[in-house]
Amino acid sequence: MPVPKRKMSRSNTRHRRAQWKVTAVATVPCPQCKSAKLPHAACGVCGTYNGRQILAV
Amino acid sequence: MPTPTKGPRLGGSPAHEKLMLANLASSLFKHGRIQTTETKARRLRPLAERLITKAKRNDLAARREVRKTIGEKDVFVSLFEEIAPRFANREGGYTRIVKTGPRKGDAAPMAIIELVEELVVAEEPKKKAAAKASAKKAAQEDKVAVLSGEADEADEAKA
């Protein structure tokens, strides 16, 4: 079975890891309370979706 | 060839999946709304709606078919006595799924599945339309009256 011949340098490791990036969660403003919420989901702050109270606040 | 079930498979085996879906359906009919993962909600919806349709038919064959899935007696009775008459003037679409974001712990996308409200009056929009039509007619008659000078006469009669 093939295995790495040499230890990977810290530099190479860090260059590789520098490409790990997080992206911001896409949100939309809630039509009721204007706070950021996930699209197509009930608002976590006011608990409404499509003008209907879904979650108890 | 039988049509494959829509959506992903659940659980470790077909028996496990069947039991989970049956338990979810019982819980939904017992509580009216349940919070579960979005995947389970999407699998539950067709089963629950089929059960309600059978409960609406309410003959012996339908009762036995539903009894295969709904084991709890009180839930079974309430499905036939309360839930089925509630949806008498609805043809399908008895449940609503609303996504509620990821669960804390494993970030599983969660959803609430609930039985929708009773369809109160189906004839209401027709009445509104009729009212609008009559209002339009009245307006047109007024116009005609103004044009023909009858409105002045009517005003004089009022005075």
Side-chain angles (χ1 to χ4, degrees), chain B residues 24-46:
Chain B
L24 281 168
S26 297
S27 301
L28 176 63
F29 296 141
K30 191 188 247 175
H31 302 287
R33 61 166 14 201
I34 53 174
Q35 181 159 37
T36 178
T37 61
E38 197 194 325
T39 312
K40 280 180 187 163
R42 295 236 176 268
R43 284 299 308 276
L44 173 61
R45 191 203 312 236

mmCIF file of all heavy atoms in Angstrom, chain B residues 24-46:
data_model
loop_
_atom_site.group_PDB
_atom_site.id
_atom_site.type_symbol
_atom_site.label_atom_id
_atom_site.label_comp_id
_atom_site.label_asym_id
_atom_site.label_seq_id
_atom_site.Cartn_x
_atom_site.Cartn_y
_atom_site.Cartn_z
ATOM 1 N N LEU B 24 -45.344 8.149 14.014
ATOM 2 C CA LEU B 24 -45.415 9.581 13.706
ATOM 3 C C LEU B 24 -46.848 9.972 13.358
ATOM 4 O O LEU B 24 -47.348 11.011 13.800
ATOM 5 C CB LEU B 24 -44.493 9.917 12.536
ATOM 6 C CG LEU B 24 -43.005 10.051 12.836
ATOM 7 C CD1 LEU B 24 -42.218 10.081 11.549
ATOM 8 C CD2 LEU B 24 -42.715 11.285 13.650
ATOM 9 N N ALA B 25 -47.532 9.125 12.584
ATOM 10 C CA ALA B 25 -48.916 9.423 12.200
ATOM 11 C C ALA B 25 -49.810 9.460 13.433
ATOM 12 O O ALA B 25 -50.631 10.373 13.593
ATOM 13 C CB ALA B 25 -49.412 8.387 11.203
ATOM 14 N N SER B 26 -49.632 8.490 14.343
ATOM 15 C CA SER B 26 -50.430 8.482 15.583
ATOM 16 C C SER B 26 -50.202 9.751 16.373
ATOM 17 O O SER B 26 -51.136 10.372 16.870
ATOM 18 C CB SER B 26 -50.042 7.327 16.493
ATOM 19 O OG SER B 26 -50.290 6.140 15.938
ATOM 20 N N SER B 27 -48.914 10.138 16.495
ATOM 21 C CA SER B 27 -48.603 11.347 17.267
ATOM 22 C C SER B 27 -49.232 12.566 16.625
ATOM 23 O O SER B 27 -49.747 13.448 17.322
ATOM 24 C CB SER B 27 -47.095 11.552 17.351
ATOM 25 O OG SER B 27 -46.483 10.464 17.959
ATOM 26 N N LEU B 28 -49.178 12.614 15.295
ATOM 27 C CA LEU B 28 -49.749 13.776 14.601
ATOM 28 C C LEU B 28 -51.244 13.871 14.861
ATOM 29 O O LEU B 28 -51.769 14.945 15.159
ATOM 30 C CB LEU B 28 -49.477 13.654 13.095
ATOM 31 C CG LEU B 28 -50.086 14.737 12.217
ATOM 32 C CD1 LEU B 28 -49.491 16.083 12.563
ATOM 33 C CD2 LEU B 28 -49.872 14.433 10.758
ATOM 34 N N PHE B 29 -51.953 12.730 14.798
ATOM 35 C CA PHE B 29 -53.407 12.768 15.012
ATOM 36 C C PHE B 29 -53.730 13.026 16.470
ATOM 37 O O PHE B 29 -54.775 13.592 16.795
ATOM 38 C CB PHE B 29 -54.046 11.458 14.544
ATOM 39 C CG PHE B 29 -53.905 11.232 13.068
ATOM 40 C CD1 PHE B 29 -53.644 9.988 12.568
ATOM 41 C CD2 PHE B 29 -54.018 12.289 12.184
ATOM 42 C CE1 PHE B 29 -53.495 9.786 11.199
ATOM 43 C CE2 PHE B 29 -53.862 12.100 10.824
ATOM 44 C CZ PHE B 29 -53.607 10.846 10.339
ATOM 45 N N LYS B 30 -52.828 12.622 17.376
ATOM 46 C CA LYS B 30 -53.087 12.822 18.796
ATOM 47 C C LYS B 30 -52.905 14.284 19.173
ATOM 48 O O LYS B 30 -53.719 14.860 19.876
ATOM 49 C CB LYS B 30 -52.119 11.952 19.605
ATOM 50 C CG LYS B 30 -52.468 11.861 21.084
ATOM 51 C CD LYS B 30 -51.374 11.147 21.832
ATOM 52 C CE LYS B 30 -51.849 9.818 22.350
ATOM 53 N NZ LYS B 30 -50.762 9.050 22.979
ATOM 54 N N HIS B 31 -51.808 14.901 18.687
ATOM 55 C CA HIS B 31 -51.456 16.247 19.150
ATOM 56 C C HIS B 31 -51.819 17.347 18.160
ATOM 57 O O HIS B 31 -51.767 18.518 18.519
ATOM 58 C CB HIS B 31 -49.965 16.308 19.454
ATOM 59 C CG HIS B 31 -49.512 15.309 20.485
ATOM 60 N ND1 HIS B 31 -49.802 15.441 21.815
ATOM 61 C CD2 HIS B 31 -48.836 14.150 20.365
ATOM 62 C CE1 HIS B 31 -49.304 14.410 22.475
ATOM 63 N NE2 HIS B 31 -48.715 13.603 21.615
ATOM 64 N N GLY B 32 -52.132 16.989 16.910
ATOM 65 C CA GLY B 32 -52.487 18.014 15.933
ATOM 66 C C GLY B 32 -51.293 18.605 15.225
ATOM 67 O O GLY B 32 -51.380 18.938 14.054
ATOM 68 N N ARG B 33 -50.186 18.771 15.936
ATOM 69 C CA ARG B 33 -48.961 19.269 15.311
ATOM 70 C C ARG B 33 -47.774 18.641 16.027
ATOM 71 O O ARG B 33 -47.778 18.502 17.240
ATOM 72 C CB ARG B 33 -48.883 20.796 15.368
ATOM 73 C CG ARG B 33 -48.867 21.319 16.771
ATOM 74 C CD ARG B 33 -48.463 22.770 16.959
ATOM 75 N NE ARG B 33 -48.431 23.571 15.769
ATOM 76 C CZ ARG B 33 -47.718 24.698 15.706
ATOM 77 N NH1 ARG B 33 -47.007 25.093 16.730
ATOM 78 N NH2 ARG B 33 -47.741 25.415 14.619
ATOM 79 N N ILE B 34 -46.772 18.244 15.260
ATOM 80 C CA ILE B 34 -45.576 17.664 15.869
ATOM 81 C C ILE B 34 -44.348 18.255 15.199
ATOM 82 O O ILE B 34 -44.377 18.618 14.026
ATOM 83 C CB ILE B 34 -45.535 16.117 15.767
ATOM 84 C CG1 ILE B 34 -45.721 15.648 14.348
ATOM 85 C CG2 ILE B 34 -46.555 15.490 16.677
ATOM 86 C CD1 ILE B 34 -45.542 14.158 14.181
ATOM 87 N N GLN B 35 -43.291 18.361 15.995
ATOM 88 C CA GLN B 35 -42.016 18.810 15.442
ATOM 89 C C GLN B 35 -41.147 17.592 15.230
ATOM 90 O O GLN B 35 -40.974 16.769 16.128
ATOM 91 C CB GLN B 35 -41.322 19.785 16.395
ATOM 92 C CG GLN B 35 -39.998 20.269 15.811
ATOM 93 C CD GLN B 35 -39.521 21.564 16.421
ATOM 94 O OE1 GLN B 35 -39.696 21.765 17.605
ATOM 95 N NE2 GLN B 35 -38.919 22.426 15.621
ATOM 96 N N THR B 36 -40.602 17.462 14.021
ATOM 97 C CA THR B 36 -39.747 16.323 13.698
ATOM 98 C C THR B 36 -38.739 16.787 12.656
ATOM 99 O O THR B 36 -38.694 17.968 12.323
ATOM 100 C CB THR B 36 -40.608 15.141 13.217
ATOM 101 O OG1 THR B 36 -39.762 14.061 12.862
ATOM 102 C CG2 THR B 36 -41.461 15.504 12.043
ATOM 103 N N THR B 37 -37.909 15.872 12.177
ATOM 104 C CA THR B 37 -36.968 16.287 11.135
ATOM 105 C C THR B 37 -37.739 16.484 9.842
ATOM 106 O O THR B 37 -38.796 15.902 9.635
ATOM 107 C CB THR B 37 -35.860 15.249 10.913
ATOM 108 O OG1 THR B 37 -36.449 14.030 10.498
ATOM 109 C CG2 THR B 37 -35.045 15.025 12.158
ATOM 110 N N GLU B 38 -37.170 17.319 8.982
ATOM 111 C CA GLU B 38 -37.870 17.636 7.739
ATOM 112 C C GLU B 38 -38.064 16.378 6.903
ATOM 113 O O GLU B 38 -39.114 16.186 6.276
ATOM 114 C CB GLU B 38 -37.047 18.682 6.970
ATOM 115 C CG GLU B 38 -37.842 19.371 5.897
ATOM 116 C CD GLU B 38 -36.957 20.136 4.935
ATOM 117 O OE1 GLU B 38 -35.943 20.692 5.368
ATOM 118 O OE2 GLU B 38 -37.294 20.166 3.745
ATOM 119 N N THR B 39 -37.055 15.489 6.902
ATOM 120 C CA THR B 39 -37.147 14.258 6.119
ATOM 121 C C THR B 39 -38.324 13.407 6.572
ATOM 122 O O THR B 39 -39.104 12.906 5.760
ATOM 123 C CB THR B 39 -35.843 13.465 6.278
ATOM 124 O OG1 THR B 39 -34.749 14.340 6.079
ATOM 125 C CG2 THR B 39 -35.764 12.336 5.306
ATOM 126 N N LYS B 40 -38.452 13.254 7.902
ATOM 127 C CA LYS B 40 -39.546 12.429 8.421
ATOM 128 C C LYS B 40 -40.882 13.090 8.135
ATOM 129 O O LYS B 40 -41.862 12.397 7.790
ATOM 130 C CB LYS B 40 -39.375 12.223 9.928
ATOM 131 C CG LYS B 40 -38.362 11.156 10.259
ATOM 132 C CD LYS B 40 -38.241 10.990 11.752
ATOM 133 C CE LYS B 40 -37.112 10.041 12.071
ATOM 134 N NZ LYS B 40 -36.706 10.151 13.473
ATOM 135 N N ALA B 41 -40.935 14.416 8.252
ATOM 136 C CA ALA B 41 -42.189 15.114 7.968
ATOM 137 C C ALA B 41 -42.600 14.893 6.519
ATOM 138 O O ALA B 41 -43.773 14.668 6.219
ATOM 139 C CB ALA B 41 -42.031 16.602 8.262
ATOM 140 N N ARG B 42 -41.622 14.942 5.623
ATOM 141 C CA ARG B 42 -41.939 14.781 4.196
ATOM 142 C C ARG B 42 -42.392 13.356 3.891
ATOM 143 O O ARG B 42 -43.188 13.149 2.981
ATOM 144 C CB ARG B 42 -40.711 15.127 3.342
ATOM 145 C CG ARG B 42 -40.311 16.567 3.457
ATOM 146 C CD ARG B 42 -40.258 17.270 2.125
ATOM 147 N NE ARG B 42 -39.957 18.686 2.308
ATOM 148 C CZ ARG B 42 -40.883 19.624 2.436
ATOM 149 N NH1 ARG B 42 -42.154 19.319 2.368
ATOM 150 N NH2 ARG B 42 -40.533 20.880 2.627
ATOM 151 N N ARG B 43 -41.878 12.379 4.630
ATOM 152 C CA ARG B 43 -42.338 11.008 4.433
ATOM 153 C C ARG B 43 -43.702 10.787 5.082
ATOM 154 O O ARG B 43 -44.498 9.980 4.628
ATOM 155 C CB ARG B 43 -41.326 10.011 5.027
ATOM 156 C CG ARG B 43 -40.081 9.798 4.218
ATOM 157 C CD ARG B 43 -40.364 9.244 2.837
ATOM 158 N NE ARG B 43 -41.200 8.060 2.849
ATOM 159 C CZ ARG B 43 -40.762 6.838 3.043
ATOM 160 N NH1 ARG B 43 -39.484 6.626 3.229
ATOM 161 N NH2 ARG B 43 -41.585 5.824 3.040
ATOM 162 N N LEU B 44 -43.940 11.509 6.187
ATOM 163 C CA LEU B 44 -45.187 11.307 6.936
ATOM 164 C C LEU B 44 -46.384 11.868 6.188
ATOM 165 O O LEU B 44 -47.480 11.319 6.249
ATOM 166 C CB LEU B 44 -45.052 11.958 8.324
ATOM 167 C CG LEU B 44 -46.298 12.009 9.194
ATOM 168 C CD1 LEU B 44 -46.801 10.618 9.480
ATOM 169 C CD2 LEU B 44 -46.008 12.734 10.491
ATOM 170 N N ARG B 45 -46.188 12.967 5.474
ATOM 171 C CA ARG B 45 -47.319 13.680 4.893
ATOM 172 C C ARG B 45 -48.219 12.792 4.015
ATOM 173 O O ARG B 45 -49.435 12.723 4.257
ATOM 174 C CB ARG B 45 -46.832 14.889 4.100
ATOM 175 C CG ARG B 45 -48.022 15.742 3.763
ATOM 176 C CD ARG B 45 -47.993 16.673 2.641
ATOM 177 N NE ARG B 45 -46.891 17.565 2.477
ATOM 178 C CZ ARG B 45 -47.047 18.894 2.399
ATOM 179 N NH1 ARG B 45 -48.196 19.438 2.606
ATOM 180 N NH2 ARG B 45 -46.025 19.645 2.126
ATOM 181 N N PRO B 46 -47.672 12.050 3.018
ATOM 182 C CA PRO B 46 -48.582 11.237 2.198
ATOM 183 C C PRO B 46 -49.307 10.171 2.993
ATOM 184 O O PRO B 46 -50.497 9.903 2.750
ATOM 185 C CB PRO B 46 -47.664 10.615 1.141
ATOM 186 C CG PRO B 46 -46.288 10.969 1.484
ATOM 187 C CD PRO B 46 -46.291 12.021 2.525
#
